[in-house]
Structure formats: C-alpha cells, structure tokens
Amino acid sequence: SFEGAPSFTGPWAAEFTDALARSTDDFVRSVLADEVVTDQELSETRDRFSGCLSSFGVTDISFEADGGFSMRSPDSMSSDAVSERVDACSEESGENTVSALHSWVRRNPENLDEATILAACLVREGVVDPSFSAEDYTNADGDLPLLESVSAGLGQAAFMLCNNDPLGLFAPGSAPGA
C-alpha cells in the first residue's frame, strides 16, 4: 500500500483496499480513493483504455452494458498479439479494476451474498420453485432446476437478467453500466 492510503469501511471495502494496494497508477488511485467509481470516472477510464488500444491500430472500440467491449484489430496483428495489447492497455488504463468495481457496486450496492440474491431473483422471475435457495443455486452448478412450464430459452433469459441485475435495481432494458 502507499503513503496516506485511505481505510475503507463500506460494503466493498475489501475489494477497494485490494485494488488500491495493487494499483501503481495515480489516476486509478484517485478514482478508488473515495470508495466510489462514478459514471464519469468509468467513462474517463474507458477513454484511457480506448486511447491505449488506438495507439496499436485498434479501431471501432465500443463498450457493452455488461462491461464487455468489442473492437476491430488490424489484420496484421495475431490474436495473441491483440490479446496481449488488450491486457496491457486494460492494466495501464485501470480499465480492468475500475470497470469491475463499477459493475459490482452498481448491481449489488450492499455486497450481499451472490448466491442468495441470484436465487431470489430466479424465484421472482418465476422460473424456479419458490423454495429455491442460495444452497440450491450453488449446488445447481449452472444447471438450474427450471419449473416444467418454463422453456430452456426462458430460463436462460431469466438467468441472464438476474446475473446482470439480481436485485432489480435497473429499469427494464437498462443494465449495469448502460
């Protein structure tokens, strides 16, 4: 950790503490220092990331609502070289850290147990039995015991929705990071 590092106390304190301890970039440290990643800070981080990628000839960089992104890389670059550049730019810009924390805090502000909130969401969506629990979710290992009346497609859609917005915090059609 560095001189004068803040001590965090919020629901995501451990994750912010860890991210701050690993960061060597002043910009990233300034983003993390108040234990909040604003939309503006996320945007600035993504601009830094895009600028870094652009310097290697990567174009058409766009970000998805779920935190993923797409891009067009030069035909002359191998997929391994592209992957190395993405990793390096992600690290250098702080995109890997800042984007993850923004997403985690936005979709689960109180850092509630993931299995618990995902199970409750699937019940709320009506695709699993009302008795479906966090333990059931953990033991399902991705193979959800859907109600007989629920198609696999509907089950998958509910799972995606719950994964992106387990607490139902966002208006329909607006996912975290949108």
Side-chain angles (χ1 to χ4, degrees):
S1 69
F2 65 95
E3 194 68 31
S7 59
F8 298 124
T9 57
W12 290 94
E15 291 79 2
F16 274 89
T17 300
D18 181 56
L20 196 62
R22 287 184 288 109
S23 177
T24 57
D25 182 83
D26 288 340
F27 169 78
V28 174
R29 286 179 173 168
S30 72
V31 168
L32 302 177
D34 63 357
E35 205 174 351
V36 174
V37 177
T38 66
D39 292 346
Q40 175 61 39
E41 289 167 334
L42 176 65
S43 178
E44 194 173 334
T45 302
R46 287 177 168 176
D47 288 348
R48 288 166 44 107
F49 179 61
S50 297
C52 179
L53 287 175
S54 296
S55 71
F56 295 111
V58 174
T59 58
D60 299 333
I61 302 160
S62 65
F63 294 90
E64 313 296 329
D66 66 3
F69 61 92
S70 60
M71 63 187 184
R72 178 172 297 146
S73 54
D75 293 337
S76 60
M77 282 177 83
S78 71
S79 60
D80 283 351
V82 170
S83 185
E84 281 177 27
R85 296 286 192 265
V86 167
D87 289 349
C89 287
S90 185
E91 182 72 31
E92 180 182 309
S93 67
E95 190 277 334
N96 52 359
T97 303
V98 171
S99 187
L101 284 166
H102 181 271
S103 173
W104 297 342
V105 172
R106 186 170 152 93
R107 67 182 280 286
N108 183 0
E110 298 303 314
N111 199 4
L112 303 172
D113 178 68
E114 279 292 315
T116 301
I117 63 176
L118 286 165
C121 180
L122 291 166
V123 168
R124 207 170 49 244
E125 290 299 312
V127 298
V128 294
D129 189 83
S131 68
F132 190 74
S133 69
E135 188 177 352
D136 295 329
Y137 179 83
T138 303
N139 293 336
D141 200 27
D143 191 19
L144 297 173
L146 299 175
L147 294 172
E148 281 184 27
S149 60
V150 175
S151 70
L154 189 62
Q156 181 64 25
F159 177 78
M160 296 295 286
L161 174 99
C162 289
N163 203 41
N164 286 330
D165 186 13
L167 298 171
L169 299 176
F170 312 109
S174 78

